[in-house]
Amino acid sequence: MEPETHTEPVGDEEPLFSNLDLFLFSLIIGLVVYYFMSRKKPEPIPEFKKIDTPQVSQRETSFIEKMKKTGKNIIVFYGSQTGTAEEFANRLSKDAQRYGMKGMAADPEEYTMGELARMSEIKNSLAIFCMATYGEGDPTDNAQDFYDWLQENDDEDLSGLNYTVFALGNKTYEHYNAMGKYVDKRLEELGAKRIFDLGLGDDDSNLEEDFVSWREQFWPAVCEHFGVEASADELSIRQYELKLHNDVNMNKVFTGEIGRLKSFEVQKPPFDAKNPFLAPVTVNRRLNKAGDRHLMHLELDITGSKLRYESGDHVAVFPTNDSALVNRLGEILGVDLDVVISLNNLDEESNKKHPFPCPTTYRTALTHYLDIMNPPRTNVLYELAQYASEPKDQENMRKMASSSPEGKALYQTWVLDSCRNILAILEDMPSLKPPVDHLCELLPRLQARYYSIASSSKVHPNSIHICAVVVEYSTKTGRVNKGVATNWLKNKLVNGHKSTVPMFIRKSQFRLPFKATNPVIMIGPGTGIAPFMGFIQERGWLKEQGKEVGETVLYFGCRHKNEDYIYQEELEDAEKSGVLTQLNVAFSRDQDHKVYVQHLLKKNKEHVWKLIHTDNAHLYVCGDARNMAKDVQTALYEIAEELEGMTRTQATDYIKKLMTKGRYSQDVWS
């Protein structure tokens, strides 16, 4: 018998399935087969290959983990705007090695500063803070987050932290060493233990001497605290090793870029200190009519950069050294400046792999990256002394690097007072022949130069104006020293070869009052007029918009009306149009007795006092900090005493309150 599934009927028996059943069954089977055959297969989940990139791990922001991993027990944080505090931090971390300890220099911006509470996890640990003060008592850009953290964390327990602070400042400024003093006091408030007194460095006097004197006493105190032998190893310690590149792709060699390779060829925003914008120079003209000085006005085109600025901000430019000086250095050292090299950090765990962008050539390093014009600091002399073949030269160089009174005096007269840069030292000490790679390791980085912007973005949104005086002077050795940045800017030809300027903008607190109806008194002799050109343009623009604008008063000063009365035409036009309600100019040398801006303030004391005391005026001072800014302040004290009957103490407090309220702003330099 056939299996039951056979569909053909046998005799008269009733079939197992009717035709309808078979049809339906076939239809169902067909649909099921169709469903399984035609349905979309699920997309296979791709296996992503793990990209081999550095992980953003805890280690990278954890200085504690890094110290543990590398066996370091001393960390030197720096708050640095011009590179000096960073330089001091590197010297201190190098010192630690000489005393049998291990140190690392660290940028607080790169680490989680809350980890200071974990310092007790490391035996015999110490945190050193080299903190510079910038502007009007402000932290440097890279220490801003650390400053905010200190202010905001009242319940932080830093009882396991041993610390000391060296502060860098300038006595001519109102808020001398404010940042260093604040860090020192605040760490103690949070329970940390100060193991050596706060050091105060004064750049108006001799910052290097202040640092060396502090450091000479600091290390014995550290050794005593930790029970370490207080005898330093006198050997020179190299931080970087030289690598020569004989066969290298020149497309991979840095040619002056600050950050990213080829960033000057392919510009990509955002533009900042690590990625400057190359701004073409569209105007470069001499401002003064006569005299032996060169005052200049430059205009930089920022079209397409997406850079924004406000009146009172600063423009920073990255200059290059004079090629003649670079060539002379190569000649005196007997080296081929076009050799491609890298200086690689011997500490592989260090965040700072090279002292400047590498690979590059000696020529590029000495032109773009290294400061060859400033007198070298004592640590450079100490390290280079070993390369002098004359014993007397070796002795003098080591003496100048010591803290002995005789050594300090020799450094002051032979290096500082004589304005000897590294080239002058090499020329005047023929037995000194250092290897160029060690010299490049020791020289500090060439820093950006800051200028108060002399324009308003309301009037010139795509242009930044600079007003500067070219620096050039004779030294006691008969040499002529030229300011790096101003001479470099002076030679920027409009639409000429290499007529671009690498630049970025630094925001400032130097701002016009929020209410345009507030009167403003601007005091700025010489190139101190720069930000006020922007203020005047902006007040003029506000008037054109139909806004009510308060009194706008300017006190300007120069030597001779017919020589260096800069922006005379623009200022007189602003006065005629009513934008400047009062233009006061002091020509200091056009008469027998000297007349300065402070004398004109005293002469107009009733009007000045009414604007300040009654009309809520904002005062602005820009220019020389050492004399002018102080003399202006004294004149204001005297006006308050004469017209309001205040004592000197009351007058001083009154002016300080104006500063606290933001009604007395200074943009000064020494």
Side-chain angles (χ1 to χ4, degrees), residues 203-222:
D203 200 29
D204 186 48
S205 176
N206 187 333
L207 184 61
E208 177 69 14
E209 186 178 311
D210 294 338
F211 176 67
V212 168
S213 299
W214 176 84
R215 176 173 156 251
E216 290 280 326
Q217 295 169 25
F218 163 69
W219 281 115
V222 172

Side-chain angles (χ1 to χ4, degrees), residues 311-349:
S311 303
D313 283 344
H314 298 131
V315 57
V317 303
F318 286 99
T320 59
N321 289 310
D322 185 343
S323 59
L325 296 180
V326 173
N327 288 335
R328 177 71 182 126
L329 266 174
E331 183 188 316
I332 208 165
L333 293 170
V335 294
D336 177 359
L337 293 174
D338 297 309
V339 171
V340 179
I341 58 117
S342 287
L343 287 179
N344 300 326
N345 202 320
L346 291 162
D347 178 1
E348 290 178 4
E349 291 297 323

